[in-house]
Amino acid sequence: MGDGLSVKAGIVGGAGYTGGELLRLLVHHPNVQLAFVHSNSQAGKPVYEVHKDLLGDTELSFTDELQPDVDVLFLCVGHGEAKKFVEASDLPQHMKIIDLSQDFRWNESITEATVSGAGRTFVYGLPELQRNAIKEADNIANPGCFATAMQLALLPLAAEKLLTKEVHVSGITGSTGAGQSLSATSHYSWRSSNISNYKVLNHQHLHEIRRTLQGLQEGELSEINFVPYRGPFTRGILCTSYLRSSLSQSEATALYEAYYKEHPFVSISSTTPDLKQVVNTNKCLLYIEKQGENLVITSMIDNLLKGASGQAVQNMNLLFGMNERTGLNLKASAF
């Protein structure tokens, strides 16, 4: 299927943050016909009543029924719910699935996970890791947001088996990373002018990060010491990774530029970037510096786009033989 053909798509779980971002992308995608948006909680309501930024862009309404004749189904449901949905639904085998939850990421292989009882195989959907496998896949397990930012910072080193025994990472994320459901730490009055860490050295995305890096290193696994923070802003992720390295800054920069030369959404910045350069885009910006014996890599993405819905559309483009950037030429807010 090329860029001139149309993909018929459906969304399950379209009322949340990732569902809303996916809608925003798909209603403007030149090669997508959005057939339905499923939501049990919002069935019957126009999409723009829930996602107010889409007023004037679509007349679709949420439905609690599935249409089996779509080419691709995006799952934007909560962790634990995607696997239940796939196993309980009689989905035709021709229908490709792109799951944005963590349900099909956790397995022993870095490339595949088989859904128990559903007869489907999911490929881990980080294009900068295995674009060719994604092109040949039937179903995609979309990576986590922190996992995307951290892996893109470390992939070139792991590919050359240059990761040392210990890698240290600190990362901060916006409030949308916690989803739409309210909690004590997602209220504006708590988040505003505030910061806290959480899941210190025990974040759930470490599972997929360790599998990827171990698979590339083909040896002793580096210890990833990750401290995540909740930030007083709505969207975006900034991670700083550092490790001992014999590479000079120029050698490291050349390594990263070579690795990402054919990957359109990753750019190496020559100056310290800031989060607003990536918010509202599918970009990842990397900044490399050498401080003493430490190589320091700063990576930043929009958690709802390259960290979720944008990457899902990027994977859809690859699945159906379209240009990787189709529907994703987005401009950062910047100011």
Side-chain angles (χ1 to χ4, degrees):
M1 180 177 290
D3 283 2
L5 298 180
S6 179
V7 175
K8 195 172 183 180
I11 300 174
V12 174
Y17 287 141
T18 57
E21 285 298 284
L22 192 55
L23 272 160
R24 179 169 70 92
L25 296 173
L26 294 183
V27 297
H28 295 295
H29 195 291
N31 301 103
V32 169
Q33 175 192 352
L34 189 54
F36 71 92
V37 185
H38 182 277
S39 172
N40 288 323
S41 64
Q42 304 297 333
K45 290 184 181 180
V47 161
Y48 60 75
E49 285 191 7
V50 176
H51 302 297
K52 298 183 185 298
D53 59 315
L54 291 176
L55 178 62
D57 290 329
T58 179
E59 296 298 320
L60 274 173
S61 293
F62 290 104
T63 180
D64 56 5
E65 297 181 355
L66 297 177
Q67 295 183 23
D69 61 338
V70 298
D71 301 305
V72 61
L73 187 67
F74 292 90
L75 302 184
C76 298
V77 295
H79 301 310
E81 297 302 314
K83 187 173 183 180
K84 291 178 184 176
F85 174 85
V86 173
E87 292 180 339
S89 303
D90 185 20
L91 303 175
Q93 286 299 311
H94 78 269
M95 180 191 294
K96 296 180 185 291
I97 296 174
I98 299 176
D99 175 40
L100 280 74
S101 82
Q102 66 187 17
D103 289 14
F104 304 120
R105 302 177 198 154
W106 292 20
N107 59 291
E108 296 305 317
S109 164
I110 69 163
T111 58
E112 294 185 347
T114 302
V115 183
S116 175
R120 288 181 178 267
T121 298
F122 283 74
V123 166
Y124 188 63
L126 186 62
E128 293 79 9
L129 172 66
Q130 46 182 17
R131 177 195 277 152
N132 291 334
I134 292 167
K135 288 179 178 180
E136 301 300 321
D138 291 316
N139 308 287
I140 296 295
N142 222 53
C145 52
F146 264 129
T148 296
M150 291 166 65
Q151 287 176 101
L152 293 178
L154 299 172
L155 282 181
L157 294 172
E160 296 297 324
K161 302 175 178 54
L162 294 174
L163 288 181
T164 52
K165 289 185 179 180
E166 280 201 316
V167 179
H168 298 272
V169 187
S170 62
I172 188 166
T173 183
S175 59
T176 53
Q180 208 169 42
S181 299
L182 285 176
S183 66
T185 57
S186 63
H187 285 278
Y188 175 80
S189 57
W190 189 92
R191 283 269 183 171
S192 180
S193 303
N194 200 10
I195 190 171
S196 69
N197 60 20
Y198 69 106
K199 298 179 182 177
V200 174
L201 305 184
N202 193 35
H203 195 279
Q204 66 271 18
H205 290 178
L206 285 170
H207 294 276
E208 56 191 281
I209 295 166
R210 286 172 176 145
R211 274 199 317 277
T212 296
L213 300 180
Q214 184 176 32
L216 291 172
Q217 287 268 126
E218 298 177 351
E220 185 178 353
L221 179 63
S222 297
E223 182 60 38
I224 310 295
N225 300 298
F226 174 44
V227 180
Y229 295 88
R230 302 179 181 97
F233 50 91
T234 57
R235 58 196 292 168
I237 282 176
L238 186 154
C239 286
T240 303
S241 306
Y242 63 94
L243 68 158
R244 293 294 179 93
S245 176
S246 61
L247 293 176
S248 67
Q249 181 167 335
S250 60
E251 289 171 334
T253 300
L255 174 68
Y256 276 71
E257 288 176 343
Y259 186 95
Y260 288 117
K261 183 179 180 181
E262 302 300 327
H263 294 285
F265 291 109
V266 181
S267 296
I268 315 301
S269 178
S270 60
T271 57
T272 306
D274 61 81
L275 204 54
K276 280 191 174 182
Q277 289 176 254
V278 298
V279 169
N280 200 47
T281 78
N282 199 54
K283 295 178 183 178
C284 173
L285 294 186
L286 300 175
Y287 178 64
I288 300 157
E289 55 188 319
K290 193 72 184 285
Q291 297 293 345
E293 296 182 0
N294 288 313
L295 185 66
V296 184
I297 308 102
T298 299
S299 58
M300 53 189 67
I301 63 171
D302 186 314
N303 58 293
L304 293 178
L305 287 168
K306 184 57 174 165
S309 302
Q311 187 146 255
V313 171
Q314 185 181 356
N315 280 319
M316 178 198 70
N317 289 341
L318 291 171
L319 282 177
F320 290 95
M322 292 182 283
N323 185 290
E324 205 166 339
R325 295 189 64 95
T326 306
L328 292 170
N329 291 309
L330 307 170
K331 183 190 177 299
S333 300
F335 50 81

